[in-house]
């Protein structure tokens, strides 16, 4: 069906509310109409994510309703009876309304819903699914995207985001919902009275918080010295404020200063146009406060509190925002070294990272005799591996992380968790402080020991239908037409995750990649630098990940500058082929 035909169906539908019809009728720009209706908002392994507005390619109560109706049919088909779904939402615009719309449709299908009384972090939802033995979970969030966005993440009964096969099956049911009148709804008050809708809160929070605190490694140090650590924390207008502060307070970290201007939940993110702890701008107010407070650590969590960014003071006294890879390497080393020191490191211990995450983690894991496992980009694949370990019993999950500021210790949550990470980051900082070291000095020690790894990410925004076509053309060019060298450096390995083949270009042989198929390409150079190219699963972007290893900070920076120049010349050629 052409986009204009879909537009007319919406404008003339008896099921569409008048305000939505007025919004559509006011549209004058044909490109805007096309972008809203040229496709349905895609349901992938990340669920839905898009700009809030009216249209098939937008987040609204109709796309949420259609998706939930499809999810309901999937659950009924799979489980037949005794089905429940847990739902949480963050501080974003329309998050509560979308959560209630999802609850209404699930209840209308006879599915019991556990809905949080107010906003909660994504990791608490992951925990709740398993804690309440739900068959699925939903979080209404667009994570760290700008205020215009919202999203709908779906979790399986294991507490992890649904992965490829299940997502495809759910999508097949969603595709079958062609008309608004197929979406069932139920009044929420009636749902409560019938027992189909249960409002949850503190009782679940307490269980979760107790599990988080139990992950403390150096309990004696924390009990004795937690109050010595000076902390500045910003929830960036999101869902992390209450649980993060509660965990720290109950462990004795009383010297915590919260950025007041960013403390209250606000989906408009008035102090951070891009509410992402990867962006140094979100720490502007915190850094101004640091001049007086002189904290040992500054950190911030994103709107749904699954990502965390930290700021440390370097050797010159300047504050630096650490990358996700740097924080992940620090945590990996701290956790493994601490467990080994206390004779608590299992013989079958495993650390998991994604294919675009720093290789320093592999060096650290090797030193401690720990298995390092690579998975595709997306924390859902780390969660999936934890489930596999649990079933087989052959490996013990210790820690997992991805370069995009997501970390997880423990196995009672199956998604990245900034509440857990904030606690461990404070403990790690406190430990190094007790040794007379800053976190920055600890990082320099890792570089001196394992090599000066430097990674960077380039995101190319390519909006609309034309942008999606350009991304696909570029990947095809890189897959089939680019030369096997960059400047004077040869490519020695090429991994094509779409066809699951790794090519050794030196020894001229191939092997199968034992991971799910994904439209991702990775190239490894003869000097151990590498780059990965993939389309974003949640934004209209093509992402290019680059990594080099140097002999010093300066050397790695110079190598990265040249490598980035050479890679981006090829990417530019691919985008314009």
């Amino acid at each position: 069906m052409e986009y204009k035909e879909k537009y007319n169906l919406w404008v003339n539908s008896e099921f569409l509310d008048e305000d939505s019809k007025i919004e559509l009728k006011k549209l004058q720009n044909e490109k805007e109409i096309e972008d809203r209706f040229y496709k349905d908002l895609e349901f992938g392994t990340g669920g839905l994510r898009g700009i809030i507005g009216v249209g098939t390619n937008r987040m609204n109560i109709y796309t949420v309703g259609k998706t939930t109706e499809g999810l309901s049919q999937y659950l009924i088909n799979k489980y037949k009876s005794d089905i429940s779904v847990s739902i949480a939402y963050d501080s974003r615009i329309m998050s509560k309304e979308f959560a209630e719309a999802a609850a209404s449709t699930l209840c209308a299908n006879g599915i019991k819903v556990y809905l949080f009384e107010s906003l909660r972090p994504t990791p608490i939802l992951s925990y709740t699914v398993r804690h309440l033995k739900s068959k699925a979970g939903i979080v209404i969030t667009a994570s760290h995207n700008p205020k215009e966005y919202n999203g709908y993440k779906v979790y399986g009964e294991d507490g992890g985001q649904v992965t490829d096969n299940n997502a495809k099956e759910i999508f097949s049911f969603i595709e079958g919902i062609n008309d608004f009148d197929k979406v069932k709804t139920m009044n929420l008050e009636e749902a409560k009275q019938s027992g189909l809708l249960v409002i949850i809160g503190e009782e679940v929070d307490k269980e979760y918080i107790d599990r988080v605190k139990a992950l403390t490694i150096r309990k004696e140090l924390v009990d004795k010295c937690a109050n010595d650590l000076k902390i500045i924390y910003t929830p960036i207008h999101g869902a992390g404020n209450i649980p993060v502060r509660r965990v720290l307070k109950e462990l004795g970290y009383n010297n915590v200063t919260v950025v007041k201007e960013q403390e209250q939940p606000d989906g408009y993110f008035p102090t951070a146009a891009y509410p992402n702890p990867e962006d140094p701008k979100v720490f502007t107010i915190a850094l101004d406060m640091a001049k007086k407070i002189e904290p040992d650590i500054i950190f911030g969590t994103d709107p749904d509190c699954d990502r965390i960014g930290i700021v440390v003071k370097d050797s010159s006294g300047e504050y630096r925002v650490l990358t996700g890879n740097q924080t992940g390497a620090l945590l990996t080393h701290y956790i493994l070294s601490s467990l080994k020191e206390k004779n608590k490191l299992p013989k079958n211990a495993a650390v998991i990272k994604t294919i675009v995450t720093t290789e320093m983690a592999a060096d650290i894991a090797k030193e401690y005799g720990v298995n390092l496992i690579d998975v595709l980009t997306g924390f859902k694949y780390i969660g999936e591996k934890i489930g596999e370990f649990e079933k087989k019993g052959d490996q013990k999950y210790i820690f997992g992380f991805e370069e995009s500021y997501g970390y997880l210790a423990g196995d009672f949550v199956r998604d990245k968790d900034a509440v857990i990470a904030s606690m461990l980051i404070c403990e790690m900082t406190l430990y190094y402080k007790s040794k007379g070291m800053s976190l920055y000095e600890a990082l320099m020690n890792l570089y001196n020991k394992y090599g000066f790894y430097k990674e960077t990410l380039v995101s190319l925004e390519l909006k609309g239908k034309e942008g999606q076509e350009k991304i696909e053309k570029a990947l095809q060019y890189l897959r089939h037409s680019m030369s096997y060298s960059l400047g004077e450096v040869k490519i020695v390995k090429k991994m094509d995750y779409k066809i699951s083949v790794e090519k050794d270009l030196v020894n001229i042989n191939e092997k199968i990649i034992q991971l799910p198929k994904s439209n991702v390409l990775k190239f490894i150079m003869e000097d151990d630098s590498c780059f990965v190219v993939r389309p974003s699963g949640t934004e209209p972007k093509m992402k290019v990940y680059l990594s080099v290893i140097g002999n010093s900070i300066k050397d790695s920076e110079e190598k990265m500058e040249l490598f980035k120049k050479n890679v981006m010349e090829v990417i530019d050629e691919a985008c314009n082929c």
Side-chain angles (χ1 to χ4, degrees), residues 20-21 229 273 330 336 376 388 455 472:
S20 295
K21 287 182 180 181
L229 196 71
L330 280 165
L336 296 185
L376 290 175
E388 287 178 18
E455 298 89 10
E472 191 51 45

Side-chain angles (χ1 to χ4, degrees), residues 448-467:
N448 283 312
K449 189 170 190 176
Y450 300 111
F452 287 79
Y453 284 83
K454 184 171 180 61
E455 298 89 10
T456 194
L457 167 64
V458 179
S459 292
L460 301 174
E461 191 167 47
L462 296 162
K463 291 184 176 180
K465 185 179 179 183
E466 293 86 353

Side-chain angles (χ1 to χ4, degrees), residues 52 88-99 118-122 139-151 235-241 262-270 272 275 301-305:
I52 300 165
Y89 59 91
D90 70 2
S91 61
R92 285 184 173 273
I93 299 164
M94 295 293 291
S95 280
K96 183 178 181 182
E97 289 84 349
F98 292 156
S118 58
L119 75 167
R120 290 297 191 281
T122 287
V139 181
I140 305 297
T141 179
S143 190
H144 56 287
N145 285 63
K147 64 184 180 183
E148 295 83 8
Y149 285 78
N150 212 327
I236 318 177
H237 305 293
N241 184 39
Q262 298 176 322
E263 180 179 4
Q264 295 305 314
D266 189 336
Y268 290 94
F269 308 115
T301 53
D302 71 343
D304 68 323
C305 197

Side-chain angles (χ1 to χ4, degrees), residues 418-478:
V419 182
I420 291 173
S422 65
M423 184 202 75
L424 288 172
I425 286 165
C426 287
E427 180 185 323
M428 175 172 66
T429 308
L430 181 65
Y431 170 74
Y432 286 119
K433 183 176 183 177
S434 73
K435 299 295 182 184
M437 294 170 61
S438 69
L439 213 52
Y440 182 80
E441 288 170 324
L443 178 63
M444 290 305 106
N445 285 348
L446 294 187
Y447 280 143
N448 283 312
K449 189 170 190 176
Y450 300 111
F452 287 79
Y453 284 83
K454 184 171 180 61
E455 298 89 10
T456 194
L457 167 64
V458 179
S459 292
L460 301 174
E461 191 167 47
L462 296 162
K463 291 184 176 180
K465 185 179 179 183
E466 293 86 353
Q468 293 302 304
E469 289 171 351
K470 185 170 276 193
I471 289 172
E472 191 51 45
K473 277 186 181 179
L475 285 161
Q476 285 299 101
Y477 174 86
L478 295 172

Side-chain angles (χ1 to χ4, degrees), residues 29-75:
N29 188 317
E30 197 65 25
K31 280 286 182 188
E32 172 70 9
I33 295 172
E34 180 185 35
D35 189 54
R36 287 181 181 231
F37 288 95
Y38 84 93
K39 66 174 183 176
D40 287 354
L41 195 61
E42 292 178 6
F43 183 91
T45 54
L48 302 175
R49 190 175 299 184
I51 295 169
I52 300 165
V54 187
T56 59
N57 190 30
R58 293 289 186 269
M59 278 293 296
N60 51 66
I61 59 170
Y62 304 103
T63 50
V64 166
K66 175 180 175 176
T67 299
T68 309
E69 184 65 41
L71 176 63
S72 299
Q73 298 308 318
Y74 163 82
L75 292 171

Side-chain angles (χ1 to χ4, degrees), residues 205-215 246 250:
D205 296 339
K206 186 181 185 307
E207 296 280 351
Y208 166 79
I209 295 294
D210 287 345
R211 296 291 297 271
V212 173
K213 292 188 297 180
L215 292 173
R246 178 175 174 179
E250 291 185 13

Side-chain angles (χ1 to χ4, degrees), residues 548-565:
V548 300
I549 311 171
N551 300 316
S552 65
I553 289 178
K554 184 181 179 183
D555 182 45
S556 63
E557 286 175 347
E558 289 174 352
K559 280 188 174 180
M560 178 57 77
E561 188 177 350
L562 178 60
F563 187 51
K564 182 178 175 181
K565 174 180 174 293

Side-chain angles (χ1 to χ4, degrees), residues 473-570:
K473 277 186 181 179
L475 285 161
Q476 285 299 101
Y477 174 86
L478 295 172
R479 188 168 271 120
H480 301 297
S481 304
M482 68 172 285
S483 64
Y484 286 146
S485 64
L486 291 175
E488 297 178 359
V489 185
K490 292 179 181 177
I491 297 171
V492 294
K493 283 185 182 176
K494 172 186 170 185
M495 288 88 147
D496 189 337
Y497 294 88
K498 190 173 184 179
I499 58 172
S500 301
V501 171
E502 176 184 315
K503 286 186 177 182
D504 184 330
L505 303 176
V506 176
N507 299 307
I508 319 299
N509 59 44
E510 297 182 357
K511 69 178 183 180
I512 301 298
I513 298 172
Q514 300 294 336
L515 290 174
K517 294 182 187 299
S518 184
N519 193 13
V520 181
L521 291 165
K522 182 171 185 176
F523 301 90
I524 298 175
M525 316 302 292
E526 60 185 344
D527 63 356
D528 290 327
S529 56
C530 67
F531 71 99
V532 179
V533 186
R534 73 176 185 92
S536 169
T538 56
E539 300 171 276
K541 293 178 178 179
M542 183 164 69
K543 296 195 170 186
V544 185
Y545 304 81
L546 305 105
S547 173
V548 300
I549 311 171
N551 300 316
S552 65
I553 289 178
K554 184 181 179 183
D555 182 45
S556 63
E557 286 175 347
E558 289 174 352
K559 280 188 174 180
M560 178 57 77
E561 188 177 350
L562 178 60
F563 187 51
K564 182 178 175 181
K565 174 180 174 293
N566 289 337
V567 170
M568 294 317 295
E569 281 177 359
V570 172

